[in-house]
Amino acid sequence: MAEQINTQVLVVGGGPGGYVAAIRCGQLGLKTTIVEADRLGGTCLIRGCIPSKALIHVAGKFEAMRQHVGEGKLGIRLPAAPEFDLGGAVDWKETVVDKLNSGVAALLKRAKVRAVHGKAVFADAKNCTVATADGDIAISAEHVILATGSVVAGIPSLPFGEHVWSSTEALLQRELPKRLVVVGAGYIGMELGMAYARMGSEVVFVEALDRILTLFDRPLVKPVEAWLKQHGIPAHLSTKAIGLVEDASGRALEVESADGTRQRLPCDKVLVAVGRRPCTQGWGLEKMALTMDGPFVKVDDQCRTSMRGVYAIGDLVGEPMLAHKASAQGEMVAEIIAGHRRRFDPVAIAAVCFTEPELVGCGLTPDEAKAQGHEVIVGQFPFAANGRSLAMQAGTDGGFVRITARADNHVVLGIHAVGAHVSELSGEFALAIEMGARLEDVAGTIHVHPTMTETLPEAALAALGHAIHA
Ligand code: NAI
């Protein structure tokens, strides 16, 4: 007979939304069970954010080493070219993933959360069955937190397979393709495509829209475009992928540009990165009778679904589909179940793209602020004028910090940056906006010298009309 678990809280999905929710539930003394079909950590930790950042790190290291061959650079000269072994890089990446995966398992255990490994299939809103390696487990819960995340979206005419990868396969390869065509110049395509280029593949981008990285505004993306140009990496814009063709002349991706012209881009492999969609199929969501919001599960500002006691968080409930949003919602829902008064109402959620150079967006761009009816003042400060950046070879990529504030009371509405290492500045950007900082608060906070963070008060001063170092 199937084991029966009766639990106060059932969390479905062990990604950064679900596992954080479960840990917080456990901390709050709620009897909690989490179900995960794959490995704890979810897409982010197992086949997304973390492994991609590990490979991007390796790619950067290899590219930097190559610059020291021959004449040398910075007084460092390598007598021979470094060799690259993608298998070795992937093995190292797996050690990082394994460490974090077992860390999550340990945190859940410490919070006294029971982790069940298998796929939950719901019969109704509060009851599911999980087929585990040791047999079926039936789970009945008072509260359910749905955190099933998202799955890759594909192109029907370009099905995933040996030669057509999704981001998942791109993170598992042991051999570098000579020629890689990347379809979709969004977050994933640009991050992984640039990493493969730095590791040594010949990369070509194909993007349906008329520019790359449309999530960020044009001035911000310029240094990334410049990097592509400098490295001779073409981006075919306003161009759609049609399908893979193989003939006597080899394998190629057929693409069609906006005017209907077709051409073939020779390739060994294709990486398709055209977005993700919420994971709503295959686990009985339809049995739960929840109200939907397009492809997403509809929730209110407490992540409550239309069914009493059933919550949904993360990628399942809409944009932005970012791990840190999922975690914040998970923590909040746990506290709501424990009786706290909480609401999900962030002023801004920062987004980072780990391209060359990196991009950060937090809050409103000048154009978005104007579109919302604000009169704005904008200040910008280049990393080329920042000592720490120059001392790290990070000031020459055209990067800058831009701060957007209301003209009347100087409250900061948005902070954006492009440049090497700027991802690490994103926390301060979010803090300033969340705390309702004014330009004077940012400018008046003494920032450590020499650090890249000094560019933020300088940008605030620039908006006020008197930057010191520019
Ligand atoms: P995306 O939405 O960022 O970019 C997809 C791109 O593909 C778009 O520019 C779109 O115009 C293009 N496209 C769509 N169909 C096409 C076609 N047939 N031919 C050519 N181009 C086509 O989606 P992506 O990069 O797959 O990422 C999915 C999500 O994953 C992101 O929205 C983000 O939330 C998350 N993510 C976050 C990261 C981070 O925080 N650093 C990194 C990677 C992903």
Side-chain angles (χ1 to χ4, degrees), residues 48-49 52-53 150 152-155 157-158 167 182-192 206-215 236 238-242 255 272-277 315 319-324 350-355 359:
C49 324
S52 64
K53 269 32 352 135
S150 59
V152 288
I155 300 177
S157 62
L158 198 56
S167 52
V182 178
V183 181
Y187 269 74
I188 296 180
M190 290 306 297
E191 286 188 3
L192 291 180
V206 173
E207 167 57 53
L209 299 177
D210 64 358
R211 66 188 192 89
I212 62 166
L213 291 169
T214 47
L215 215 77
H236 296 268
S238 306
T239 302
K240 279 191 174 159
I242 302 297
V255 298
V272 176
V274 294
R276 298 183 62 86
R277 55 183 172 75
D315 288 5
E319 298 286 352
M321 290 163 93
L322 296 171
H324 42 290
V352 172
C353 196
F354 294 81
T355 36
L359 295 158

Side-chain angles (χ1 to χ4, degrees), residues 16 52 88 108 260 292 323 329 377 428:
S52 64
L108 287 166
M292 302 297 287
Q329 289 180 328
I377 49 175
E428 186 181 1

